[in-house]
Amino acid sequence: MNAATFDRLGFALALACLVGLVFLPLWLIYLYQHDSIQVVDRPSSEIAVGIAVVLRATIRRWLRAGSRNLLRTTLGTYSRASARTLTRRVVKSTTRILMGLLVRVEPDQAEGDDGAASDSPWRSVVGLLVGFVALCLSFWGVLSLQSYDDLMTITQSGQLSVGMASLLAGTPLLVYAAAVSLGGRIWGVKIQFQTAVDGLLLQGYFTGAGSFLPMTTDVEYEGPAESKHCVAAVALGSLYLMHLLLSAVADWTGSTLPLFAGTMFLTYCFVYSFPIRPFEGFYLWSHSRLLWLGFWIPIVLSFIYSLPDSFANLL
């Protein structure tokens, strides 16, 4: 007997066992109890209850699956934004270190340049304005890469123009700069805004990839170490408070503009909360881990649960 014949006999034996042991007993029981089965009319209320139970179980299963998908989506968005934030910061730091190794500057000249730069307030103003324009152009570029359906979703079917959306994307930087400057004046910390070439190049690179994260402008704190965390707390608190206020106005009025602006403030607040220098999260972390957690936890929770689905692809 060859292998093919053996396989055919085995299949026939398995089929005979399936029919004889499963279907044949059921058929015999049906013949035996067929005449004794009584048909009982069920009230319509019992039938409705049964249908409701089935629908409830089905809907609950759908909701559970949907909540898992929502949580997976939000956590995926958070992880992507976190990874890209860390990547940009590492690349910018590495670029500056390499430039420092390749371009040698005499100590006296370096001190003189730094002193002149720190004494000139126009350097901060120019750096801030360049960063604002770069962020507006970056968001405009990201929107231009979106499909028509995604663009209509982001702008609420054209209720918000692309130009206005781009301006709102850069506005949180100006509010953040005002809050940092005010905090610096109160606690005696000197604030320097810098928009370097490497930051602009990285912003342009990620813009081409369809990603928007505000990373063009760096802020340097110069002053007492015990006061820097106060300025950082004012900066992050102002951004988060603006997000909450604009979200409340959007819920109250149903308007698209405050909802979009509040989302942009939340994005800035999320990026700046990372404990990486020169972000505000670094100064909070250096002063107290609990203080940093007190800011970071509500920011992350808002980022996970309040970020519109239309912004997930932009980060």
Side-chain angles (χ1 to χ4, degrees):
M1 179 183 298
N2 55 19
T5 304
F6 182 78
D7 292 338
R8 285 195 293 269
L9 290 177
F11 176 78
L13 180 61
L15 183 61
C17 292
L18 180 64
V19 173
L21 297 178
V22 178
F23 294 103
L24 183 61
L26 294 177
W27 183 65
L28 293 177
I29 293 173
Y30 168 77
L31 292 179
Y32 177 75
Q33 294 184 349
H34 178 70
D35 296 333
S36 61
I37 294 177
Q38 297 180 357
V39 180
V40 180
D41 294 334
R42 296 292 183 185
S44 60
S45 60
E46 296 183 10
I47 298 176
V49 170
I51 295 175
V53 170
V54 174
L55 289 177
R56 180 184 178 186
T58 305
I59 293 173
R60 180 178 296 179
R61 180 170 297 177
W62 285 348
L63 290 177
R64 287 179 179 177
S67 63
R68 286 195 297 268
N69 293 333
L70 176 62
L71 182 61
R72 188 182 301 112
T73 301
T74 53
L75 290 179
T77 303
Y78 168 71
S79 62
R80 289 196 304 271
S82 304
R84 290 175 180 177
T85 303
L86 294 174
T87 300
R88 291 189 183 192
R89 179 50 51 192
V90 170
V91 171
K92 289 186 72 173
S93 300
T94 305
T95 303
R96 291 182 178 180
I97 292 174
L98 292 177
M99 290 297 295
L101 293 176
L102 294 176
V103 181
R104 299 184 60 182
V105 181
E106 296 298 331
D108 295 338
Q109 181 182 357
E111 292 177 0
D113 292 342
D114 293 340
S118 61
D119 292 338
S120 177
W122 292 106
R123 182 181 179 90
S124 291
V125 174
V126 172
L128 184 62
L129 293 179
V130 171
F132 170 75
V133 174
L135 289 174
C136 294
L137 294 177
S138 174
F139 194 78
W140 178 82
V142 171
L143 290 182
S144 65
L145 297 176
Q146 304 299 314
S147 64
Y148 178 79
D149 295 336
D150 293 338
L151 183 61
M152 289 295 101
T153 302
I154 296 172
T155 59
Q156 296 294 318
S157 300
Q159 297 181 20
L160 190 66
S161 65
V162 175
M164 179 60 67
S166 301
L167 289 176
L168 291 177
T171 301
L173 178 64
L174 302 180
V175 177
Y176 160 77
V180 171
S181 300
L182 178 61
R185 287 182 175 271
I186 295 175
W187 280 280
V189 177
K190 195 169 184 178
I191 306 299
Q192 293 291 326
F193 299 99
Q194 299 177 358
T195 301
V197 177
D198 55 355
L200 296 176
L201 293 177
L202 282 174
Q203 191 74 31
Y205 172 78
F206 281 96
T207 300
S211 173
F212 178 79
L213 286 176
M215 298 285 291
T216 58
T217 305
D218 294 334
V219 181
E220 296 291 342
Y221 291 2
E222 298 178 5
E226 61 273 8
S227 301
K228 293 181 180 180
H229 71 279
C230 298
V231 182
V234 170
L236 279 183
S238 299
L239 291 175
Y240 190 62
L241 181 60
M242 288 297 299
H243 159 68
L244 295 178
L245 291 177
L246 289 171
S247 298
V249 172
D251 293 337
W252 181 50
T253 61
S255 177
T256 303
L257 192 146
L259 176 62
F260 184 90
T263 304
M264 296 311 305
F265 274 96
L266 179 61
T267 303
Y268 278 71
C269 191
F270 167 74
V271 172
Y272 294 159
S273 66
F274 278 82
I276 306 173
R277 190 167 186 159
F279 292 150
E280 276 62 33
F282 169 79
Y283 299 105
L284 297 178
W285 176 273
S286 300
H287 179 75
S288 173
R289 307 296 191 270
L290 292 178
L291 179 62
W292 176 78
L293 284 175
F295 278 85
W296 188 74
I297 290 177
I299 291 173
V300 171
L301 291 178
S302 297
F303 188 84
I304 292 176
Y305 293 105
S306 301
L307 189 74
D309 295 337
S310 57
F311 277 79
N313 294 330
L314 300 182
L315 302 179

